[in-house]
Amino acid sequence: VWASITVSLGVLVISSLASSRMPKQQAEADTISEMIWGLLLQFLILINDILPLGAVVNIIYQTYQARRKWVRRDFWEVMNLSINTIDLPSNDRSPIKLKFRTLWEKPCAAIIQNDHALNMLNKAAEKTTKANPVITLPNTESWYILNMVLNEVSALFSVGYVFQDMKLPLRRSTYVLALTAEKQDAVRTKKIRVMLVQRECLLSLLQPRVQNMEWEFEKASHGPRRETLKAIATQFFHQKDNPKDFIEVEVCLPALEFPSVAPAQTTSVPSFQLPYSMSSPNRSSPSHWSLNS
């Protein structure tokens, strides 16, 4: 037991020293320290009935991990859904306008409700690069994970699907859904990002005249999203006959125009006589009202 305590303190000191090293060395040191911590915690759980040291060490470890993630702005356990609007100009002199908005942000575990599948997603997210932020999942598992995300996205447009079933006026558009893990330096927070973008607008980015056009962003920090969308467009075009890393969704929303409604018919109200007279000067006082015979 005392050996375990000594090892725990030693690992804590080593982890603290490793966090002050160079970025590349720091990543390697963090990986090693996490492996040591994992093995140590498994051992301490076994002796927890003898000495509740495991709970104490776990609290210290979780606090250290939370602070490290906050400093690095690493929130890979969070999934963010955004709709990306690409406004293509009618002429080559005007810039392409990009705007994106968050539709929801939830814990990944609330969407991917299986630990093994969530682990596969996290490992695939670790493999993305600055040049290619698209998450590539194993061939035999990608559809299942993408479908879990699609189910959550489809719930946003449930009213439109009911309108479709009732044959009511609708607006439809096909969107491409992609999972990404952006790691560009300008990205402020790192998390699993679900991109929704209209299929036709996405493929238009591959047109020769569009590739050399300028882009206009709402904020300077939105620049990396352009590269992300271009990477999605390129890979989706190559996979469009049998997309593996993407899934298409038809979005249906109620149309804004409604059928004309005939004006309501007016009905005449029959005249009637009040059952009392209000001839008194003080009409506000019921004591001066007299019932008609």
Side-chain angles (χ1 to χ4, degrees):
V1 172
W2 286 109
S4 300
I5 297 176
T6 304
V7 172
S8 302
L9 295 176
V11 170
L12 184 61
V13 172
I14 293 173
S15 300
S16 301
L17 293 175
S19 62
S20 63
R21 301 175 66 180
M22 298 299 290
K24 184 176 180 180
Q25 297 173 330
Q26 179 181 351
E28 297 175 353
D30 288 339
T31 302
I32 295 174
S33 64
E34 288 175 2
M35 293 175 59
I36 296 175
W37 272 106
L39 294 173
L40 179 61
L41 289 177
Q42 292 295 328
F43 174 74
L44 292 176
I45 289 173
L46 297 176
I47 63 169
N48 193 51
D49 293 335
I50 302 175
L51 182 67
L53 179 62
V56 177
V57 174
N58 185 54
I59 292 174
I60 297 174
Y61 175 70
Q62 294 298 334
T63 303
Y64 162 74
Q65 284 285 75
R67 183 182 183 280
R68 190 186 68 165
K69 289 181 178 180
W70 179 257
V71 171
R72 294 184 173 186
R73 305 298 186 250
D74 289 345
F75 308 111
W76 296 116
E77 68 278 3
V78 175
M79 184 174 290
N80 176 282
L81 170 67
S82 65
I83 186 165
N84 299 260
T85 303
I86 303 173
D87 188 4
L88 294 172
S90 57
N91 57 76
D92 297 342
R93 295 183 299 273
S94 301
I96 302 172
K97 295 182 180 180
L98 174 63
K99 181 185 296 184
F100 52 89
R101 293 291 183 269
T102 295
L103 299 183
W104 51 246
E105 185 166 284
K106 303 179 181 181
C108 290
I111 312 299
I112 312 298
Q113 300 178 6
N114 180 276
D115 292 340
H116 180 66
L118 188 59
N119 186 45
M120 283 193 296
L121 177 62
N122 291 332
K123 287 183 177 180
E126 292 175 359
K127 296 179 181 179
T128 62
T129 62
K130 295 180 180 179
N132 182 20
V134 178
I135 295 177
T136 301
L137 295 163
N139 294 344
T140 57
E141 310 294 344
S142 60
W143 182 88
Y144 298 98
I145 295 178
L146 286 169
N147 195 60
M148 288 181 179
V149 179
L150 176 62
N151 290 336
E152 198 73 20
V153 173
S154 296
L156 290 175
F157 313 107
S158 56
V159 174
Y161 300 135
V162 175
F163 266 57
Q164 183 182 44
D165 184 70
M166 298 175 68
K167 307 299 188 293
L168 295 175
L170 283 174
R171 297 291 299 274
R172 295 184 179 87
S173 185
T174 302
Y175 283 76
V176 175
L177 184 152
L179 297 177
T180 66
E182 295 177 304
K183 296 179 180 177
Q184 296 93 327
D185 296 334
V187 177
R188 294 183 177 180
T189 57
K190 300 177 177 62
K191 58 187 72 171
I192 304 294
R193 299 186 185 273
V194 184
M195 306 287 182
L196 266 184
V197 57
Q198 287 196 47
R199 186 179 188 276
E200 297 305 319
C201 291
L202 182 66
L203 293 177
S204 65
L205 298 180
L206 302 178
Q207 297 177 5
R209 78 172 189 90
V210 175
Q211 293 182 0
N212 297 324
M213 294 177 65
E214 296 292 331
W215 287 63
E216 181 179 305
F217 310 107
E218 292 183 296
K219 297 180 180 179
S221 58
H222 292 178
R225 185 61 58 91
R226 170 184 56 188
E227 307 307 321
T228 299
L229 293 175
K230 287 184 176 180
I232 294 174
T234 301
Q235 296 183 43
F236 176 74
F237 177 77
H238 291 141
Q239 299 181 20
K240 65 178 181 178
D241 295 330
N242 186 23
K244 179 184 72 70
D245 301 317
F246 312 94
I247 195 166
E248 297 184 20
V249 53
E250 183 187 42
V251 174
C252 301
L253 289 176
L256 296 179
E257 58 270 12
F258 296 96
S260 58
V261 180
Q265 296 181 354
T266 58
T267 57
S268 59
V269 179
S271 60
F272 63 94
Q273 185 180 6
L274 293 174
Y276 49 82
S277 63
M278 299 180 65
S279 58
S280 171
N282 186 9
R283 296 182 179 181
S284 61
S285 175
S287 62
H288 292 85
W289 297 354
S290 60
L291 290 175
N292 298 328
S293 57

